[in-house]
Amino acid sequence: MFRRKAKDEPTDEPAEELIDATDGESDPDASELDESAVDADESDLDDADDEDDDLPAELSDQDELDEIDEIDEDVDWRADGPFDHDEVDLSADEVERLDLGALILTPWEGMGLQLQVNEATQQVVAALAFWEQSGLELALLAAPTNGGLADELLEDLTEEAQQAGGSATTAIGPFGPELRRVLPAEGPSGEQLFQVSRTWFAEGPRWLLRGTLLGEAGLTEDDEGASAPFVEFFRNVVVRRGNGPMVPGEVIGMTMPTVPQG
């Protein structure tokens, strides 16, 4: 929709009546979100055993995911967003946006939004955008000035998946190195299912934005198909971190929506 310090003509229509709020833990995890919000149930995942032969074909071939070793470190993965608040002029267009304090979102018509709230602090710690059979969970974390938090999260989430009996691989996505995880899950009748997801990481000035694709979009490998609207949505996120000191990895809380930015 716009680039740093410049905007294209807006094309998306604002979404209406899309806010829902739920209680959650202080450390957001996509697997803990209400699955009905993104319909990430047995209709989206393959019944399977723990063996690689039963995993979705596009995620079971390690050789196809080794391109991470060939990444160009000079690529600016945030050239087209997500953006820092100081990099853009939101007053330059008439697009209606949702202001969540730390994050400013640009929804599209028909998109739903669920906010995950820390019950103890009443702070919004994650936002889940959902549409049809897919969803994208957003969480904002404080990061060190010299970066590097994305690499740490990749390692931690990979280890977490392996300890849970699942698998995790790294590949190049639209925002740089991304994590593709397959986690075991139990169906409503006790059957063995798998939850498949893709996680994006975007590092800005002392912040890291994490986006986790769920449902049908989590089964994709590129920025086409079910993931396409979420790729554009993630690009247009604007981060307003604030200037206060924070511990790297600490969740930066959001607020309930205010009057739309326009």
Side-chain angles (χ1 to χ4, degrees):
M1 179 174 295
F2 52 85
R3 301 175 188 273
R4 295 179 188 173
K5 294 299 184 183
K7 308 262 195 330
D8 298 328
E9 290 298 320
T11 57
D12 293 326
E13 295 294 331
E16 299 179 355
E17 300 180 358
L18 76 174
I19 304 300
D20 185 19
T22 59
D23 292 333
E25 301 297 329
S26 59
D27 184 11
D29 187 293
S31 64
E32 297 175 356
L33 293 173
D34 181 3
E35 292 184 354
S36 64
V38 293
D39 295 326
D41 55 19
E42 65 276 359
S43 64
D44 301 306
L45 304 175
D46 293 330
D47 289 290
D49 296 324
D50 289 337
E51 299 180 3
D52 288 346
D53 289 343
D54 291 322
L55 298 179
E58 65 272 22
L59 296 176
S60 62
D61 190 350
Q62 177 64 49
D63 292 338
E64 295 181 359
L65 299 177
D66 285 339
E67 57 184 286
I68 185 66
D69 296 331
E70 302 176 4
I71 185 173
D72 185 348
E73 296 182 357
D74 294 328
V75 173
D76 181 2
W77 294 105
R78 283 203 312 109
D80 297 323
F83 303 95
D84 187 80
H85 189 262
D86 291 337
E87 296 172 339
V88 295
D89 181 8
L90 297 179
S91 65
D93 59 35
E94 298 181 355
V95 176
E96 291 189 5
R97 301 181 174 90
L98 284 175
D99 191 339
L100 303 181
L103 293 184
I104 299 174
L105 310 180
T106 306
W108 69 86
E109 186 175 9
M111 188 196 87
L113 185 68
Q114 184 181 70
L115 303 179
Q116 187 180 10
V117 181
N118 183 312
E119 189 173 357
T121 64
Q122 292 302 299
Q123 186 178 54
V124 178
V125 295
L128 175 70
F130 57 94
W131 182 67
E132 295 186 348
Q133 305 300 314
S134 303
L136 176 66
E137 184 213 39
L138 299 175
L140 184 64
L141 308 176
T145 304
N146 58 353
L149 182 59
D151 292 336
E152 294 182 19
L153 291 178
L154 276 168
E155 293 180 5
D156 291 345
L157 293 173
T158 296
E159 182 178 353
E160 178 185 280
Q162 294 170 343
Q163 292 178 347
S167 65
T169 51
T170 305
I172 301 302
F175 304 100
E178 68 174 48
L179 187 64
R180 300 175 183 177
R181 302 206 301 175
V182 181
L183 298 176
E186 184 175 309
S189 301
E191 68 272 29
Q192 177 69 67
L193 304 175
F194 286 91
Q195 182 186 65
V196 183
S197 65
R198 295 171 56 187
T199 301
W200 299 325
F201 305 94
E203 290 191 90
R206 297 193 301 149
W207 54 260
L208 180 143
L209 180 64
R210 185 178 73 192
T212 303
L213 278 173
L214 299 167
E216 184 179 338
L219 293 166
T220 63
E221 286 192 337
D222 49 32
D223 56 0
E224 302 296 331
S227 66
F230 295 101
V231 171
E232 183 67 15
F233 176 73
F234 193 73
R235 288 194 193 283
N236 288 315
V237 173
V238 176
V239 176
R240 188 194 287 119
R241 181 201 181 279
N243 297 318
M246 299 186 72
V247 177
E250 181 179 352
V251 175
I252 300 176
M254 309 168 214
T255 60
M256 297 299 290
T258 59
V259 178
Q261 293 278 322

